[in-house]
Amino acid sequence: MCGIVGLFLKDKALEPKLGAMLSEMLVSLSDRGPDSAGIAIYGATAGNEAKITIQSARPERDFRGLDAELAKAIGAPVSVAVKSTQAVIRTTPEKVDAAREALQSLRPDVRIMGAGEAVEIYKEVGLPEAVVDRFDVRSMTGTHGIGHTRMATESAVTTLGAHPFSTGPDQCLVHNGSLSNHNNVRRELIREGMAFETENDTEVAAAYLSNRMAHGKNLGEALEGTLSDLDGFFTFVVGTKNGFGVVRDPIACKPAVMAETDQYVAFGSEYRALTKLPGIDNARVWEPEPATVYFWEH
């Protein structure tokens, strides 16, 4: 019984409030998942810059001096902005892969939460309010974002096991449900070159979408594929650099509600997640249909 939320802004005037709005939505669903929580925020891109969000169980040790060491290793400027147990590394887009490789040798205990030109992913063990406070999510600005509060059923309660899962540049996914064929799909994706860090079925779903988009599918087409290739009960909410998508399995037993106005598109596991959004009383509100893909792009 996890809780998931998503918010895709159409109105630029709301962008300074994205972090606050998404945080409020997620905190309202805290009782749906006491184990861990996470949020992905898609901010404005900054020219020739890319970001890597990292996490450490010992941030005082792992983040100290990392900017200078990493800059020397990759031969490019690097900045590191620390937020509690996580940090955002900024460098040039062409150096992201080199930075990821260098991190493995310079800081082998550090874990990469996500990377891209727009996305920052913050997740930890604990309730949503503690997570959004720890990383000051309410102050963040952006164009869209997704969030998750987890009740673990099939894998360990760890930071890596928390959602969102990111397996491609500026791509991430949150999930309510359970996949029955994730082991088979994982093996197939490994044969195609995908790498995995956990045994979580949601990471498999994220990797499936990343793999399909790497082969030329857009977000909508990739989500369509989940309906035939992934077995189980699921509701997925997905973010990409420019897009936001939702899909439910053909049985659709996991709760979901959506709302759309001229200012935004919003998703929540329950309607209470949407009640404080501006103009919600005049929004078009509906339950997303089973086996139907919904997606929007800027």
Side-chain angles (χ1 to χ4, degrees):
M1 192 179 76
C2 300
I4 51 180
V5 296
L7 188 59
F8 179 88
L9 300 181
K10 303 177 185 180
D11 184 355
K12 286 186 173 294
L14 289 178
E15 291 180 8
K17 302 177 182 179
L18 176 68
M21 294 166 69
L22 197 60
S23 295
E24 183 69 34
M25 293 170 68
L26 190 60
V27 168
S28 74
L29 298 179
S30 295
D31 60 345
R32 292 190 64 87
D35 299 330
S36 58
I39 281 184
I41 297 285
Y42 288 84
T45 55
N48 192 38
E49 180 182 89
K51 299 179 284 188
I52 306 172
T53 312
I54 60 175
Q55 186 269 352
S56 171
R58 299 178 63 181
E60 299 86 358
R61 177 200 66 181
D62 286 333
F63 298 159
R64 186 185 306 118
L66 180 59
D67 50 356
E69 293 179 54
L70 200 54
K72 181 179 179 181
I74 68 174
V78 170
S79 68
V80 178
V82 177
K83 284 189 176 184
S84 186
T85 56
Q86 295 190 203
V88 178
I89 299 168
R90 288 177 168 83
T91 188
T92 56
E94 63 270 15
K95 290 293 185 177
V96 167
D97 289 342
R100 293 180 70 129
E101 291 179 11
L103 278 169
Q104 292 178 354
S105 58
L106 293 172
R107 299 291 192 274
D109 294 331
V110 159
R111 296 291 178 260
I112 295 175
M113 300 289 100
E117 295 181 21
V119 73
E120 296 179 23
I121 297 174
Y122 298 95
K123 58 183 186 177
E124 271 291 4
V125 173
L127 289 168
E129 186 141 22
V131 172
V132 301
D133 286 346
R134 170 178 281 189
F135 301 117
D136 194 24
V137 176
R138 290 184 177 91
S139 70
M140 296 184 70
T141 66
T143 57
H144 56 297
I146 63 177
H148 186 274
T149 185
R150 183 179 183 222
M151 180 178 287
T153 57
E154 294 190 7
S155 56
V157 178
T158 64
T159 301
L160 275 181
H163 304 208
F165 276 92
S166 179
T167 53
D170 282 315
Q171 298 169 13
C172 64
L173 175 147
V174 293
H175 170 207
N176 183 20
S178 178
L179 301 180
S180 57
N181 68 333
H182 61 95
N183 288 322
N184 290 337
V185 176
R186 183 185 286 109
R187 285 191 288 269
E188 292 172 6
L189 291 171
I190 289 172
R191 285 195 290 268
E192 295 191 31
M194 299 296 294
F196 293 87
E197 295 188 86
T198 75
E199 295 300 313
N200 195 295
D201 58 343
T202 304
E203 187 180 15
V204 174
Y208 171 87
L209 294 176
S210 295
N211 180 265
R212 286 184 67 89
M213 286 188 276
H215 285 83
K217 303 294 185 182
N218 65 25
L219 175 57
E221 293 167 336
L223 288 170
E224 287 282 357
T226 66
L227 297 170
S228 57
D229 295 339
L230 300 183
D231 292 334
F233 303 116
F234 58 83
T235 296
F236 297 139
V237 178
V238 182
T240 66
K241 182 178 177 181
N242 300 311
F244 171 78
V246 172
V247 68
R248 302 171 79 195
D249 68 83
I251 297 176
C253 65
K254 298 300 180 180
V257 61
M258 300 193 71
E260 184 171 14
T261 73
D262 291 339
Q263 292 182 294
Y264 58 79
V265 178
F267 175 95
S269 292
E270 298 180 36
Y271 180 72
R272 58 180 157 141
L274 313 180
T275 57
K276 294 187 179 180
L277 292 174
I280 189 64
D281 290 341
N282 298 314
R284 181 174 76 93
V285 178
W286 76 100
E287 179 181 351
E289 294 290 334
T292 302
V293 171
Y294 301 85
F295 79 103
W296 293 260
E297 292 185 315
H298 284 123

